[in-house]
Structures are given as structure tokens and as C-alpha cells.
């Protein structure tokens, strides 16, 4: 039964990855936390396990979304290259930060972040394109901050990268596409750190590689890779306003549930 949940979750995450330039982690983490509680996983590690597993799934979500966006010529690869340098540094520090926070406190932090993203989506807030794309140092610093936060929240960074790039005068479709590309180094580096940090934890359930739970990873990956391409196509053909508001309502409920 849990595996069917993971398959459905992967489909939702894939569509979100392609449509909004997010890795789907903002919804994967809460659902995994709920699922792991039902399975009786230890409360002290289940949130870290959900975050680490979410980051690992984003590897698969990102690949097909990147291919679809690249096929349409929308990825700004020079921006991606310099942001990735910072992402690799920031993701390591983010994983260490998350590991140092207790499970219940980490859930509350994720809940606050979900509420912030929900408000941003509901109001359709987009920073005005008031500045140009920064230089190599500026992109590297931005990447490090985004990588650090993404590793803590278990996300691909789209909810941070897209607003940053649009503020820096990158057109929305290119911002979404470049954000999808940036999700891959965030996911790879962060997931590896979560594997290493949790490797010898005696409380982990069977079939875990550190803080990555393999059955959930497999189920989500199987469907997310296909649906990420579908979401990327929608991003180029549909106005996602209604979907954003529905997604915002879902995130609002998730955030409140984590905080109450």
C-alpha cells in the first residue's frame, strides 16, 4: 500500500518539477513524514529520512525536466554553471545544518517554509525584474545560499531560484528551465551528504542508505521521471495560475499541520 502512495507521489512531484521549476520536494517531504509515521519509524530520524529521500528523488525528477527544457533552448547554461559551484558548497553546509536540528524542530522549520511558499504562490508574487544577471561571484554566492536552504528543506530549490532569476531580469520560462537544471546538482550533492551523515545511525529502518529510504526512492522515481517531462510541456503551453493557487492551498494545510 505504501508503495502505491510513493508511485502517486512521484507523479505529482514530476508534474510540479516540470511545471514550476521546483523539484517536488516541498510536497514530497510532508507526505513522506506522514507515511513514515504510519510505518512506525523512530520520530528522531524520520524527518531527516524524509528530507534525504526527497533530495534523492529530485535527481530523477530533474533529469527529464532538464532534457525537455533544453530541447526548447530555455536553459541558461552559463548561469547554471556558476550557480552550481556555489550550490555544491552550500548543499554540504545545509545537510550538516539539518542533521544538527532535532526532528520535531526540523518539521516546524519546514512548516514555516511551506506557509511562506503558499502565500507567495497564492498572491502570485514575483519580484520585479529590476537588476541584470550578476557576475560569476554573485551567481556563486546566490547558488551557495540556495543550496544551503534547499538541503535543509529537502527541495530542488525552485521556489528560491525562480524568484531570484526573475528578479535578475531572466524571462520566466528561462528562469523555470534554469531552475530545473540547478535542481540536479542540489539533489546529487545534498543526497550524498545525507547518506553519509546517516550511514551508521542504528535507528534507521531496513532498506536505507543513510538518510535515504530506498523503497520510497524507487516508487517516486518510477513515475516522476515520466511526469516531469509532461509538466515541462505544460509549462510551455498553459497558464498555471489556477494550479498555483490549488497548490498554494495544499501547502498552506501542510504548513499548518507541521506547526500545530
Amino acid at each position: 500500500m505504501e508503495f502505491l502512495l510513493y508511485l502517486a507521489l512521484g507523479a505529482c512531484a514530476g508534474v510540479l518539477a516540470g511545471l514550476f521549476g521546483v523539484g517536488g520536494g516541498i510536497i514530497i517531504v510532508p507526505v513522506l513524514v506522514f507515511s513514515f509515521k504510519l510505518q512506525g519509524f523512530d520520530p528522531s530520524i524520520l524527518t531527516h529520512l524524509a528530507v534525504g529521500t526527497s533530495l534523492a528523488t529530485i535527481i530523477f525528477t530533474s533529469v527529464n525536466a532538464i532534457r525537455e527544457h533544453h530541447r526548447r533552448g530555455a536553459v541558461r547554461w552559463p548561469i547554471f554553471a556558476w550557480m552550481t559551484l556555489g550550490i555544491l558548497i552550500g548543499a554540504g553546509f545545509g545537510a550538516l545544518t539539518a542533521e544538527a536540528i532535532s526532528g520535531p524542530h526540523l518539521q516546524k522549520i519546514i512548516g514555516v517554509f511551506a506557509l511562506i511558499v503558499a502565500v507567495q504562490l497564492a498572491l502570485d508574487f514575483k519580484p520585479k525584474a529590476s537588476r541584470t544577471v550578476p557576475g560569476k561571484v554573485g551567481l556563486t554566492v546566490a547558488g551557495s545560499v540556495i543550496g544551503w536552504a534547499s538541503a535543509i528543506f529537502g527541495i530542488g530549490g525552485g521556489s528560491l531560484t525562480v524568484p531570484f532569476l526573475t528578479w535578475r531580469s531572466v524571462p520566466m520560462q528561462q528562469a523555470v528551465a534554469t531552475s530545473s537544471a540547478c535542481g540536479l546538482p542540489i539533489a546529487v550533492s545534498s543526497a550524498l551528504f545525507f547518506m553519509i551523515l546517516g550511514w551508521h545511525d542504528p535507528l534507521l529502518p531496513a532498506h536505507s542508505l543513510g538518510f535515504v529510504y530506498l523503497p520510497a526512492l524507487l516508487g517516486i522515481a518510477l513515475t516522476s521521471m515520466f511526469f516531469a517531462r509532461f509538466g515541462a510541456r505544460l509549462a510551455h503551453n498553459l497558464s498555471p495560475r489556477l494550479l498555483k493557487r490549488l497548490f498554494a492551498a495544499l501547502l498552506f494545510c501542510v504548513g499548518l499541520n507541521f506547526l500545530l
Side-chain angles (χ1 to χ4, degrees):
M1 188 64 183
E2 288 84 4
F3 193 72
L4 293 177
L5 171 65
Y6 299 144
L7 290 172
L9 182 56
C12 294
V15 172
L16 294 174
L19 188 58
F20 301 126
V22 301
I26 193 66
I27 195 64
I28 290 176
V29 171
V31 175
L32 287 181
V33 167
F34 178 73
S35 173
F36 292 165
K37 284 180 179 179
L38 291 179
Q39 293 178 69
F41 293 175
D42 192 281
S44 65
I45 57 94
L46 67 83
T47 306
H48 297 84
L49 191 65
V51 171
T53 304
S54 170
L55 289 162
T57 65
I58 293 168
I59 297 172
F60 301 93
T61 305
S62 296
V63 169
N64 274 356
I66 292 169
R67 288 176 58 189
E68 187 66 25
H69 285 304
H70 175 67
R71 188 177 68 83
R72 296 172 181 269
V75 180
R76 297 279 291 271
W77 291 110
I79 293 176
F80 162 83
W82 287 104
M83 287 191 71
T84 295
L85 178 60
I87 284 168
L88 296 177
I89 298 169
F93 284 105
L96 290 170
T97 303
E99 199 266 341
I101 302 171
S102 69
H105 284 105
L106 186 58
Q107 284 188 33
K108 292 186 183 303
I109 292 171
I110 294 171
V112 171
F113 180 72
L115 289 178
I116 293 172
V117 175
V119 171
Q120 186 267 330
L121 286 172
L123 299 179
D124 200 22
F125 172 75
K126 299 186 184 78
K128 294 181 180 179
S130 57
R131 299 191 180 187
T132 58
V133 175
K136 298 174 182 177
V137 174
L139 289 172
T140 301
V141 171
S144 65
V145 174
I146 291 170
W148 174 79
S150 299
I152 295 173
F153 301 133
I155 62 174
S159 53
L160 303 171
T161 308
V162 172
F164 168 72
L165 292 179
T166 53
W167 174 52
R168 291 295 190 158
S169 302
V170 176
M172 178 55 72
Q173 286 189 345
Q174 293 182 9
V176 169
T178 306
S179 172
S180 292
C182 288
L184 183 58
I186 287 173
V188 171
S189 55
S190 300
L192 285 174
F193 273 103
F194 271 89
M195 286 182 186
I196 294 168
L197 291 172
W199 194 262
H200 296 294
D201 197 311
L203 298 175
L204 287 172
H207 313 299
S208 297
L209 287 178
F211 289 129
V212 175
Y213 186 54
L214 294 180
L217 172 61
L218 176 62
I220 294 170
L222 283 174
T223 51
S224 66
M225 293 185 71
F226 169 77
F227 281 92
R229 297 184 69 181
F230 175 69
R233 290 171 185 167
L234 287 179
H236 290 272
N237 294 290
L238 295 177
S239 172
R241 179 174 296 179
L242 177 59
L243 290 174
K244 281 187 177 182
R245 290 178 177 172
L246 292 173
F247 186 41
L250 175 62
L251 285 181
F252 189 78
C253 294
V254 167
L256 285 181
N257 182 61
F258 270 22
L259 291 173
L260 297 178

